[in-house]
Amino acid sequence: MSSPPFGGSNEMPAVFPDWSPYPDLDSAARAYLRDPEVALEALFGVLRGAQVLCFTLERFVNEVNGVWQEVVVCDGSRLVLWHGEDVAPGDGPAGAMTSSLRVVPLSTVTEVGCRRRLTRTPNGQARVDSIDVYLLLSSVDDAVPPPGVGEEEGRAPLRHDALRFGKTLDDGGPGQIARLEEFSRVVASLVGRPTL
């Protein structure tokens, strides 16, 4: 299945190609993302030849903004995150998108959590049908305090920043569930150890 290039048609299929069979970042991104060239240029500009130990990809269609895409790469000492999102109608010219890059040192990951939901097949075998992964960071979430919390009530409670990822059988399938679990295990194995 071919994807329209950046700035092309906004008609996107509801189900995207599966990236999980591709072991390398370049092939997976080209199979799954709408704008792989934009993502890979940004990511490889930071990685600069560093070995990619694991990665995960996400893409969905938002009814307001259009296509939302994300790639997260771990090179042993950092998480490099790329995020691309179509600009909402009226917020820019037709076909405009944002491309953002974030680098998070693994030393700032304080906790890795992985929650799998298991179901039983008719023969009683357990099967993973969804996975949720979070990476808790030492940085503080800079989100706006919730409504009703003002200065007169004191300071808003501090919350640590977190990165969250999820896959289900309907959104990604068993291959992407397994790849996200592999990503969480690799990152968890590196947290708290001296960086590479």
Side-chain angles (χ1 to χ4, degrees), residues 103-168:
V103 178
V104 177
L106 275 181
S107 60
T108 66
V109 178
T110 60
E111 185 177 320
V112 178
C114 179
R115 180 179 181 194
R116 301 181 310 158
R117 187 174 71 188
L118 305 171
T119 56
R120 297 272 178 202
T121 62
N123 67 2
Q125 185 177 12
R127 176 181 78 168
V128 179
D129 71 0
S130 72
I131 185 168
D132 292 302
V133 172
Y134 74 89
L135 309 178
L136 187 63
L137 306 178
S138 60
S139 56
V140 176
D141 186 354
D142 60 358
V144 177
V149 176
E151 290 183 20
E152 64 279 357
E153 297 176 20
R155 301 178 98 176
L158 294 178
R159 291 185 350 191
H160 284 276
D161 197 4
L163 304 173
R164 299 185 183 280
F165 314 99
K167 294 287 182 182
T168 67

Side-chain angles (χ1 to χ4, degrees), residues 25 38-48 71-73 80-82 101:
L25 176 61
V38 176
L40 293 170
E41 179 184 7
L43 290 164
F44 290 142
V46 172
L47 290 168
R48 299 201 177 266
V71 181
V72 184
V73 176
V80 183
L81 298 92
W82 175 82
L101 197 67

